[in-house]
Amino acid sequence: MFRIAPIALAAGLVGSAAGAPEGCHPPYAAGGSYVSGSYVSATSTVETPVPCDCALPSCPSSEGQTAGCSTTTTTTETHNYKCVDGGNSAYCGVAGFEPATLHGYIAWTKESAQCSSGCPGAYVSGESYAAADKVSVAGPAYTAVYECAASPLNKFCGLPGYAPGSGNYWRTVWTLLGSCAGTISPTSSPNYVSLADAGGCPDAWEAGAFKYEENDKVSKNGLVFECRIFPFSQLCGLEGYEPLGELWWEDAWKTAWTVVGYCSGTSSPTTSPSFDRDPAKHVGGCPDEWVEGTNAAYEEGDMVSVTVSTSPLRKIAYTCKTWPFSGFCGLYAPNSGRPDDQQGWRMNGSCSGSIRPTAAPSFGALNLVAGGCPRDYDENNLSGIGAGDRVSLGRVVYECKSGAVSAYCSQPAFVPGGQYSAMAWDVKGYCEGTMRPTMAPTSYDNAVLRGGAAAVPPACQAEAASGGTVAKCYYEKDTTTTGVSCTCGDSDCPNPSGLEATSTACKKDVTVTSCPAVGEYASGSSYEAGDVVRVGTTRFKCREWPYMLWCRNEAYAPSLDSGIWSNAWTRDGDCPATSAPKCLVANMGPSNGDPLRYEDASGSVKICFDGWNAGAGASLEMDVAGLGVSTTGGVHIHTGTSCANATAQGGHYWEIRASDAAPGKTAGDPWFGDIADIAPTGTSYTTDANGLGTADFAFDSGTGLDDNVGRVVVIHDTYTADGGDYARVACGVLVESATLDPHCLVANMAPSNGDRYDAVSGTVKVCFDGWNYGAGANLEMNVAGLGVSTMGGVHIHTGTSCADASAQGGHYFVTTRASDAAPGKTAGDPWFGDTADIAPTGTSYTTDANGRGTADFTFDSGTGLHDNVGRVVVIHDTYTADGGDYARVACGVLAEPAP
């Protein structure tokens, strides 16, 4: 069908109405050169019986017939026909097998719908086309007809770069059906007078990816064609670009080839190079001999030599070509004689002696990737690589593409820089130094907020009302229920009918805000406006209606790269990173005895929790010397906060879960060690012949790290069942592990509040001297994409979202020392940067000529790490005193750094 699509966006999203009949292909011509897939049109006569009145003279009837009479009407119909596949296609041009004839069905397939003369509507760039829509593109000799691909590819049919017959990617979404008007004139004989005589003809063109490079020559029909310069040279071996080809666009081949002359006969084979006799082609000393390797063994610009004879000694020097041809350099020797041996190497000339190895490429054409090099690409360790992950190979940084193709990144055939690299990886630039590897999206752990139900933000009305919890990475979603009964006299209850104030017949709309967890994008989901998903830790929000209809289309899946996804989604900041295990340590010493039973007891007990919250599992590791020899006892957390005596130490510390109770034991107490699901391997330690006690076991006391800070660990002597008295012989207080000092949070920064600098990226790291209220801190900033050669402010704000200025809030600090207030400033606010003892060097950053902003300063906001988890860091543009507007231009949420 033809179609003139409606311009309205909503109509383009949900479909379109049917249009006019399909145009007719050129009429069948007897003796034509038809092949499988050829289209023609043919006209046939159709006789149709029509009921008539038997009494009328014009109505044929039998003698005495009074009913059931009919006459015949004759009409002509024109249909399109397609030459069949297989061996019968040989009959398509043979007499007796013409379409619309008795035996035509053997060679031709008839389309059921009639066609109409003329062409479908002309292609319009920017239009919205439905699957199977047909358009026409007028050429100098004929008009071509194209059909738009099935969903979801039809979404691209009207986009720039996909114009049928001319766009770089048109064959991805359009199919050439044939022509609808005019004829294709035969090509005239070439005018050899105006072309140079190239002598013998080079080889004929052959299809093959990377088959040809710039300046390679082929011949066809007595003409010589030369492959154009890069990047057009990459097209020279592709189907559809054969010189004088007419596969899909009459002049497509001219994009790749240039006519340079005419020829006759064949070219003489080239002789062995005589570089030793031609000083102009001698390159000096020889680089190292070529050594076979992987497709990453050599980089562009690397030089090798190959020995072509040993007596006399003759060598030829070669240079490895640019990517992607460099992938062949380690696979094929320059003179191997194999079909691909010239794909990777360019011959330089003869050489003698030796030279220093060529240095690694300078990558002057690539951008420097900030932050150092990600992990090296390891073809033997590809598991877990996902969309957005970065690797380095020879100091070139590659990023795994998003969407379905990200699955290729973990397959060896798609090695970065290799033949199929572009299908899975994007080149991001070059790197220096090292950096942490990017986390795979699947590794993200969206745990609940610290504090469980008590930590639910006030805005999360649904969870607060139900006593539920909220994930660390969440978004706010409003749900409105209409027609909720209310008391007519209440101020928030509409009463348009003037009912009695005590009546409950009035109705109102009730909106409740819930806070769902931000999950990974999932194709096929029915996303709505305002829904938030993530790719890795990057958040994306579904746009408002009608754009939200695209959120449900996989073709618009959000991505870490630019693309059409932005028509459906907007970036929404970053999720907090996955946190490391949280650990406490108790330094053990002798206790409970006069005299002390083991006065030399010393060592540590380390306990790591899976989370901050109540109910988090944990593990205990003990390494304490000076205990009884070759024995077994118990090691437990107790309720007390002092080791002074048994009373101060208290009893076992745990939270009740009655269903876990073992017969005869206190419900849910893991420290008895015989309740399988909360202490599966017991809670005992053993000592060796020297009295060194060790333990390593998992347990679940129904508590988390926050609940255990300051409590004591008690070591009991030999069990009574083993002849001991199970006395308390050592004790220590659980404190924050020294390995966690300093306590740091990291914010991944992104554009905000107007996207003035839409390429902002980098981190702000804030390290505190302690967990607790009033701990000093240090801030380090390394963020690219800001204004150049300027100075602004970087601060922690009260908000927990980067959505807008209101959500970000104002400066975050605790007013505890009024004497620190600067004149005219809020007492104790370090973010003004002029209060000596709480921000001695200010709270500013500076940028260089490339817009990279850095900062490194100490401050004291009267808060500690726990107070700042989940709050935002805001970067302000140039100070007003320096002529700027001090706008908020970047934002990120402080989170526990990944392990």
Side-chain angles (χ1 to χ4, degrees), residues 203-291:
D203 292 338
W205 179 88
E206 295 180 1
F210 309 122
K211 177 73 175 177
Y212 299 101
E213 61 180 11
E214 58 187 73
N215 301 322
D216 282 351
K217 294 179 176 62
V218 298
S219 63
K220 183 176 181 179
N221 297 344
L223 294 176
V224 179
F225 301 84
E226 183 175 86
C227 183
R228 296 183 63 188
I229 61 172
F230 181 85
F232 307 105
S233 58
Q234 297 186 78
L235 305 175
C236 289
L238 300 183
E239 294 282 358
Y241 293 91
E242 177 185 0
L244 298 181
E246 297 175 351
L247 180 60
W248 57 275
W249 174 33
E250 186 178 19
D251 292 327
W253 64 270
K254 294 181 181 178
T255 307
W257 297 94
T258 302
V259 179
V260 295
Y262 65 96
C263 63
S264 61
T266 58
S267 299
S268 301
T270 56
T271 59
S272 300
S274 56
F275 296 134
D276 58 316
R277 297 189 297 272
D278 186 352
K281 295 182 179 180
H282 191 275
V283 297
C286 292
D288 291 340
E289 285 270 345
W290 178 85
V291 177

Side-chain angles (χ1 to χ4, degrees), residues 882-894:
D882 296 330
D885 59 3
Y886 203 54
R888 304 182 184 197
V889 293
C891 180
V893 179
L894 285 168

Side-chain angles (χ1 to χ4, degrees), residues 29 101 108 135 168 247 281 322 401 432 599 669 761 856:
T101 63
W108 297 92
V135 298
N168 289 336
L247 180 60
K281 295 182 179 180
T322 59
K401 292 178 180 288
E432 296 175 350
E599 61 181 10
D669 184 349
S761 65
D856 188 350

